[in-house]
Amino acid sequence: MDNNDRGASASLASYAEAVDWINGLIPFGIRPGLERIEALMEHFGHPHRRLKFVHVAGTNGKGSTCAFLTRALIANGYDVGTFTSPYITKFTNRFQYNGADIPDDVLLKLSNKLRPVVENLAETELGSPTMFEVSTALAILYYAEVCFPDVVIWETGLGGRMDVTNLVNPVLSVITNVGHDHMDILGDTLEKIAAEKAGIIKPGVPVVTSVSQPEALEVIKRTAHERRSSCYVAGEQFSYEQTQSGESGQSLHFKGPFRDFDLSLSLRGEYQLENAAGAFMALELLRQYMAFQLDDEKTAAGFKETFWAGRMELVRREPRILMDGAHNPEGAAALAQSLQSGWTYGRLVLMMGMLSTKSHEDYFKSILPLVDELILTEPDFRKKMNASALAEIAEGLRADYAKPDLRIVVQPEWKTALTQFEASIGPEDLGVVSGTLYLISDVRAQLLHQADSEKGW
């Protein structure tokens, strides 16, 4: 198909139409496999092969790790592309260049370039590319044909081995951790989930990991050994310890194979120490082996400046309202640990909503012991979990895990729930909004008065 044909069949007229077209592919679901993205890239001459990637996988912490890497590299003068999901405020958040979203007009232009190719592919035996496949292709075209970054921080969508992003051959891989999430797709044991994450490890390409469970770590190490990739493991080749903690941030001392280093973070949550240490180890490898020129003061400033919406984010100070997108058992345990170690408060009021695709009993086991009032609601999303069903789980755990006077409120309408939530938080109390990022996105937009907020995976 020549350019004239492509232009004739692509009639998207606005940014909104382009996003609607891409999101219109959501019904095609999540279809693991690389055949369709490879076919798309072949049509455009394999543009991903001209780019340098740092590939990041893991159950929790991927986004924060990508944010640390991005800010530190930008602080050192590098041009950085960052591809992440889901997004919190606008569809363009997932395609960033030097910390700024892709311009609406560029997204429209690239969508018009992709659309006829996607439609042609849909007519073949491969079937239509999915929303995430088209988003991934759009990201590659943006970085390879429009803005030309020095390096792309490249987050997996789901898993690793069969994830669309695994099309690339990176200069470095990072696996943050392995936890119980997306078990319907990735497998029902930590070993199976770890095997999917380990799929991003490429022959001869070093990998950094903070995976801690012995059975999962064994899979990562074995895969790295088979592929002759150097493996840098938290607690083995590098380690860290917290040196300061408070509501305004925290600090850590990093010990690595090349040197020690002190970092200060504005991001709250004890789990961010692990993410920061893994990101710093990744930068050390880029510096040591790949000739990246990194200045210590600029790198430290980058870590201090790093911000990640919806992760232990204090969105209001009077009353104090904290947002954290913990939506699986490991995320809940990390949230509980952070609340106990870095915060002082009278009562804890927790508002949460979840998707029905997850198992939530273990989530409640971690967080319920801290909660004085639990407000259960429902995200504005098609796979939402019924708030009363969440309440049943919480009630079933009340005797063994909850405070004796725990108050549980069921309010399916999230805006009404938010009003009740705000009214329940006293001057000395702490309000926490947690659960699926689909809820976090809406509540955050409401609290920060962002009327035009979008959200999605």
Side-chain angles (χ1 to χ4, degrees), residues 210-221:
S210 299
V211 169
S212 57
Q213 306 94 326
E215 66 272 36
L217 184 56
E218 172 57 32
V219 174
I220 306 286
K221 286 181 170 179

Side-chain angles (χ1 to χ4, degrees), residues 110-299:
L110 292 176
S111 296
N112 274 323
K113 188 169 184 174
L114 273 167
R115 187 183 182 197
V117 185
V118 169
E119 289 174 348
N120 281 352
L121 195 59
E123 298 300 315
T124 72
E125 68 278 3
L126 291 176
S128 175
T130 66
M131 180 277 288
F132 191 66
E133 287 167 347
V134 171
S135 297
T136 303
L138 197 150
I140 289 171
L141 291 180
Y142 180 47
Y143 299 133
E145 298 184 357
V146 179
C147 56
F148 314 108
D150 299 310
V151 63
V152 179
I153 309 302
W154 192 243
E155 183 190 9
T156 57
L158 186 66
R161 181 178 65 93
M162 299 298 285
D163 187 72
V164 189
T165 63
N166 208 25
L167 170 82
V168 308
N169 196 45
V171 296
L172 180 67
S173 302
V174 179
I175 302 173
T176 58
N177 52 47
V178 170
H180 298 85
D181 209 355
H182 301 293
M183 291 184 288
D184 53 329
I185 296 172
L186 301 181
D188 57 3
T189 66
L190 287 178
E191 291 96 330
K192 288 178 182 176
I193 297 170
E196 292 300 317
K197 310 286 185 192
I200 72 165
I201 300 173
K202 301 295 194 302
V205 176
V207 58
V208 174
T209 185
S210 299
V211 169
S212 57
Q213 306 94 326
E215 66 272 36
L217 184 56
E218 172 57 32
V219 174
I220 306 286
K221 286 181 170 179
R222 184 173 66 246
T223 306
H225 177 74
E226 289 168 355
R227 296 175 190 173
R228 296 183 179 173
S229 301
S230 301
C231 189
Y232 296 82
V233 180
E236 296 182 17
Q237 285 74 23
F238 69 99
S239 62
Y240 63 92
E241 59 184 4
Q242 187 179 60
T243 52
Q244 177 267 326
S245 175
E247 291 187 15
S248 61
Q250 55 190 333
S251 301
L252 70 144
H253 181 69
F254 172 92
K255 293 183 177 181
F258 313 121
R259 59 178 178 157
D260 291 8
F261 201 84
D262 290 304
L263 290 168
S264 293
L265 313 179
S266 298
L267 285 182
R268 306 168 187 86
E270 210 165 298
Y271 57 88
Q272 295 293 7
L273 300 172
E274 179 182 292
N275 296 330
F280 189 78
M281 184 68 248
L283 291 169
E284 286 285 88
L285 294 176
L286 294 177
R287 183 180 68 86
Q288 196 75 10
Y289 296 129
M290 293 158 213
F292 276 63
Q293 300 297 310
L294 302 177
D295 174 84
D296 286 355
E297 286 188 13
K298 292 175 180 176
T299 299

